[in-house]
Amino acid sequence: MNGGEQRLSPAGRGGGEGVRTRDHLANTRTFLSWSRIGLVLIGIGYVIDKYSLVVNVVHHRPVTTTPAADRAVALVVTLAGPLLSGGACLRFLLARWRIERAEIRTHPLVDAGLIVGVSLTLVAVLIYLLRIGA
Amino acid sequence: MTARAREHFANERTVLAWTRTAITFMGLGFVVARFGIFLRQIETAPETGTHYSGVIGIGLVVAGLGTAAISVLRFFRARTQIDAGQFQAEYWPEVSLAAMTGAIGVALVVYLAANG
């Protein structure tokens, strides 16, 4: 044992080259899932920013700039996208490193950080929705 | 089912995940680009600012195409490596994707913060 860290034979957690390959491919798929969430957040942020302009057109009101409060929420949600993508990349590289070391101990700190980040962003979206009376 | 077959199926699931990501890029690019056209059409006052939505939308679609190209390249390389029993855990495709997402996301944030 190495400080609670459990290590097995070099390849594939002791299961051989096939297990190692599948672990790496699963790691890539997990990274891609996080990346898609980041892209969706970018899209939500953009829609939040432009929504008020559409509402003005529908109600035949003058088209002006986006209200400051909506703009603030839009920026937070949009910025969460690239941040999430960067965090997902870090998580991917750490997991890749662990797979190569045949280390089966999990390190959920980065994953927890990503989940908390997404949750806080969704809270911002919820506040926006409550504010516009959806 | 042999272990080799499971690796090939895992490789196929991975390329499908890449494809979904490419489609997400393109879908988002389509929305942003079309919205740019709509904003130009409704523009009645100069304070609505300059609209770079079209450029960013096209950038997103190009990123989607790049993602699809990376996925195909990676799929066939991994397929060869699996058959040879020497899978190489490359990381440049993932880092490239993160860089593309980061660059476009930051560009959109700057655009929205500047004038929207």
Side-chain angles (χ1 to χ4, degrees), chain A:
Chain A
M1 297 295 277
N2 181 15
E5 181 181 291
Q6 195 174 347
R7 291 189 64 188
L8 302 169
S9 62
R13 293 178 280 126
E17 179 63 20
V19 174
R20 174 184 165 270
T21 301
R22 292 202 299 276
D23 280 355
H24 278 300
L25 291 171
N27 186 30
T28 295
R29 292 195 296 276
T30 308
F31 163 76
L32 291 172
S33 297
W34 279 115
S35 295
R36 284 196 295 276
I37 294 174
L39 286 171
V40 168
L41 289 180
I42 291 173
I44 292 174
Y46 181 80
V47 170
I48 287 175
D49 191 86
K50 302 302 179 194
Y51 181 72
S52 62
L53 301 180
V54 177
V55 170
N56 285 343
V57 170
V58 169
H59 291 109
H60 304 291
R61 292 196 293 253
V63 180
T64 56
T65 52
T66 305
D70 290 4
R71 173 62 49 83
V73 174
L75 287 176
V76 167
V77 177
T78 308
L79 190 60
L83 289 177
L84 191 68
S85 182
C89 190
L90 176 66
R91 190 216 64 83
F92 166 80
L93 293 173
L94 284 172
R96 177 180 174 276
W97 181 70
R98 288 201 298 268
I99 292 168
E100 285 298 292
R101 293 180 72 225
E103 179 188 329
I104 63 169
R105 183 186 175 195
T106 56
H107 298 265
L109 208 60
V110 179
D111 297 76
L114 291 174
I115 291 166
V116 169
V118 172
S119 302
L120 290 177
T121 308
L122 293 180
V123 168
V125 175
L126 182 65
I127 290 170
Y128 165 77
L129 290 175
L130 291 173
R131 210 181 66 76
I132 66 170

